[in-house]
Amino acid sequence: MSNKKLFGTSGIRGKIKTEITCDLALNIGRSLGTYLKNNGKVVIGYDTRTTNQMLDEAITAGLLETGIDVLKIGMVPTPLVGYATEKLGADAGVMITASHNPSPYNGIKLWNKNGMAYTSLQESEIEEIYNDKSYKLSEWDQIGTIHFVEEIKQSYIDDLLDLVNIKPGLKVVIDAACGAGSEISPLVFRKAGCEVITLNSQADGFFPGRNPEPNEKNLDSLMKTVVATGADIGIAHDGDADRMITVDELGNVSPFDSLLVLISKTFEGKIVTTVDAGMSMDEVIKGVGGEVLRTKVGDVNVAEVIIDEDASFGGEPSGTWLHPDFCMCPDGILSGLRIVELVSKEGKLSELLKTIPQYPGHREKIECSKEAKIEVMKNMESILVNEFSDIEEVNNIDGVRLTFNDGSWVLIRPSGTEDYVRITLEGTNQERADSICATCKRIIEDNI
């Protein structure tokens, strides 16, 4: 793996034993310590996966070898690593997680001292050190030390609760996927005044309750539980709780795009989102006097634009939202709190979502190897331009996005974390959406 690109859209990600190994983790620790010039301290946390502690120890060893002090915070959600890195004055953070991927996967994601993920440029510098094995190892009397910082969890909880004001008594069902939010998320909502019912909130890296990706296919139990218990809302996290999606009081999974627009319009000024977000974002935000800025898929890309443009909020339609008034790390727990706060003040979630325009669309993924993805995308823009005659705009900031004369749009881009090419689109009507989707699927399959 050392001769290949390590980092994807969201850190390093792959299958244990074949792609993610202890050797890799050790050398990433050495590379990060060298990048930090053998000085400073690094926060390390991990989610519930069975392979986390061995990777934690390997990364820790690499950091210690380069003179870096390690602040261990244990099994925590990803947002707590970003928060702790900033709060504790650390020089970097490391989260060991494969997020929504199944149990055989794991990964490593790096965080800056302001809680923002490492940029692609920073990741390239880490890769260069890793590939060249140009590690700067310390002498025996200058190795780093380990510190355990348990109290940071309570600090995180307290600071979250200071940000929201939820009317007491709302009944909330939390489905933590047996992931890193299993302990903290239900606790935070109880302390915020909610009546909490839990699903899959026992930490278990085999994810016995459901696949950790929070989509409709995996949330049948949550949907049924919300209705059966008369809950006001359900909240589902992914494996590391940097994301969330809601289920309304009728038992329906909220459309990702609509939920993002709903929360975005509560903020003033500039809103940052990605090229795969839908038409309603522009329509609604412009309608309330705001401005929408689009960037590449990936929370770090959203974070960079938030900082550069002094934006008030940013998010992806995957349920990954950034709250710059708290931390530049995506936070599924704070995202859930803010939606619950909105429901407590303005009424039922199903009714609130009706105020957001919805358009028929598709989110498809076509299996494609890492090598084939490069070939498929090489001529994709010219193929699409020749296929469609009513294109108004072509955007190639991340994959290829076409906007058509009637407002319909499609984005084709290679996944940065899995072996897929993704198709995301909306049409002005169902027939139009189905037609665009069928054409794009045919083009991709013909070129694999």
Side-chain angles (χ1 to χ4, degrees):
M1 191 169 179
S2 62
N3 295 321
K4 298 179 181 178
K5 181 173 173 57
L6 293 174
F7 291 89
T9 306
S10 189
I12 300 170
R13 195 86 60 85
K15 284 188 176 180
I16 285 291
K17 194 175 180 182
T18 56
E19 296 172 296
I20 304 297
T21 64
C22 287
D23 282 346
L24 178 140
L26 173 67
N27 289 327
I28 288 295
R30 289 167 168 167
S31 300
L32 178 59
T34 301
Y35 175 78
L36 296 173
K37 303 189 186 306
N38 306 71
N39 181 50
K41 50 190 179 181
V42 172
V43 171
I44 296 186
Y46 49 81
D47 68 19
T48 58
R49 291 167 196 273
T50 60
T51 54
N52 275 333
Q53 292 188 9
M54 72 179 192
L55 296 177
D56 175 20
E57 296 300 328
I59 295 171
T60 297
L63 288 167
L64 295 176
E65 275 191 300
T66 57
I68 301 293
D69 292 339
V70 176
L71 310 181
K72 287 181 176 279
I73 60 175
M75 195 279 288
V76 294
T78 286
L80 214 161
V81 170
Y83 168 89
T85 302
E86 184 175 19
K87 191 83 171 180
L88 296 173
D91 297 277
V94 177
M95 180 66 183
I96 303 168
T97 180
S99 188
H100 63 276
N101 291 123
S103 300
Y105 288 79
N106 215 326
I108 302 166
K109 192 163 182 177
L110 307 179
W111 303 92
N112 279 289
K113 59 174 61 180
N114 67 346
M116 185 183 88
Y118 264 37
T119 65
S120 57
L121 178 60
Q122 289 175 301
E123 290 173 342
S124 296
E125 293 180 42
I126 297 291
E127 280 185 2
E128 186 175 350
I129 296 168
Y130 178 96
N131 289 326
D132 293 345
K133 293 183 169 50
S134 53
Y135 316 123
K136 298 289 192 296
L137 304 183
S138 299
E139 297 297 329
W140 67 270
D141 58 346
Q142 294 177 324
I143 63 170
T145 55
I146 296 175
H147 307 269
F148 296 91
V149 192
E150 283 292 320
E151 64 273 13
I152 195 64
K153 296 178 184 178
Q154 187 60 53
S155 175
Y156 171 73
I157 292 169
D158 292 342
D159 284 353
L160 279 180
L161 294 174
D162 284 344
L163 272 182
V164 295
N165 182 18
I166 297 170
K167 292 180 181 178
L170 257 71
K171 186 181 288 188
V172 180
V173 184
I174 305 286
D175 180 346
C178 299
S182 295
E183 297 172 1
I184 287 182
S185 188
L187 177 61
V188 168
F189 281 88
R190 286 194 180 100
K191 286 182 173 291
C194 300
E195 178 186 343
V196 177
I197 299 166
T198 60
L199 285 177
N200 303 314
S201 287
Q202 74 282 12
D204 190 330
F206 289 97
F207 305 118
R210 66 166 172 88
N211 185 293
E213 184 165 8
N215 56 29
E216 188 166 355
K217 181 178 71 174
N218 297 325
L219 299 181
D220 186 61
S221 293
L222 177 59
M223 295 158 68
K224 290 176 179 176
T225 302
V226 168
V227 174
T229 60
D232 296 285
I233 189 172
I235 294 172
H237 295 300
D238 59 341
D240 63 335
D242 67 342
R243 292 167 56 190
M244 74 94 211
I245 190 61
T246 58
V247 171
D248 68 26
E249 78 284 356
L250 303 177
N252 300 313
V253 175
S254 306
F256 279 101
D257 273 282
S258 298
L259 197 65
L260 175 60
V261 176
L262 182 66
I263 196 66
S264 294
K265 73 173 187 173
T266 66
F267 293 88
E268 296 179 351
K270 296 176 181 177
I271 304 296
V272 182
T273 192
T274 47
V275 291
D276 60 337
M279 293 185 275
S280 60
M281 175 66 83
D282 301 274
E283 188 176 334
V284 171
I285 299 305
K286 289 176 183 176
V288 296
E291 180 184 358
V292 177
L293 306 173
R294 290 180 184 268
T295 186
K296 295 180 181 180
V297 172
D299 63 87
V300 66
N301 299 310
V302 175
E304 284 189 281
V305 178
I306 288 175
I307 291 171
D308 290 345
E309 298 288 339
D310 193 25
S312 57
F313 181 74
E316 301 182 80
S318 61
T320 306
W321 301 353
L322 286 91
H323 308 262
D325 59 345
F326 183 67
C327 181
M328 292 308 300
C329 177
D331 196 321
I333 299 174
L334 178 53
S335 298
L337 285 170
R338 283 190 150 148
I339 289 292
V340 170
E341 181 181 36
L342 191 62
V343 169
S344 79
K345 292 177 178 177
E346 298 191 15
K348 295 179 178 179
L349 181 57
S350 64
E351 296 299 320
L352 294 174
L353 288 169
K354 285 179 183 177
T355 67
I356 307 301
Q358 292 188 34
Y359 298 94
H362 291 276
R363 285 184 178 270
E364 305 277 348
K365 56 186 183 181
I366 298 174
E367 196 166 326
C368 191
S369 69
K370 288 181 175 67
E371 294 76 17
K373 282 190 292 188
I374 297 171
E375 291 303 313
V376 166
M377 295 303 301
K378 189 177 292 182
N379 300 310
M380 185 56 63
E381 182 176 334
S382 60
I383 294 171
L384 291 171
V385 168
N386 289 331
E387 185 73 33
F388 294 100
S389 60
D390 58 338
I391 298 170
E392 182 177 286
E393 182 185 2
V394 178
N395 183 326
N396 54 17
I397 190 174
D398 188 5
V400 181
R401 175 174 167 140
L402 306 180
T403 303
F404 301 100
N405 295 335
D406 66 351
S408 303
W409 64 275
V410 62
L411 171 70
I412 296 178
R413 61 177 293 276
S415 170
T417 57
E418 298 174 283
D419 292 340
Y420 295 108
V421 172
R422 299 186 184 276
I423 305 172
T424 309
L425 66 93
E426 284 181 327
T428 48
N429 56 61
Q430 191 65 57
E431 183 180 1
R432 177 69 163 141
D434 293 345
S435 173
I436 295 170
C437 187
T439 300
C440 291
K441 286 178 75 172
R442 172 179 56 79
I443 289 171
I444 293 170
E445 288 166 354
D446 286 350
N447 284 275
I448 290 178

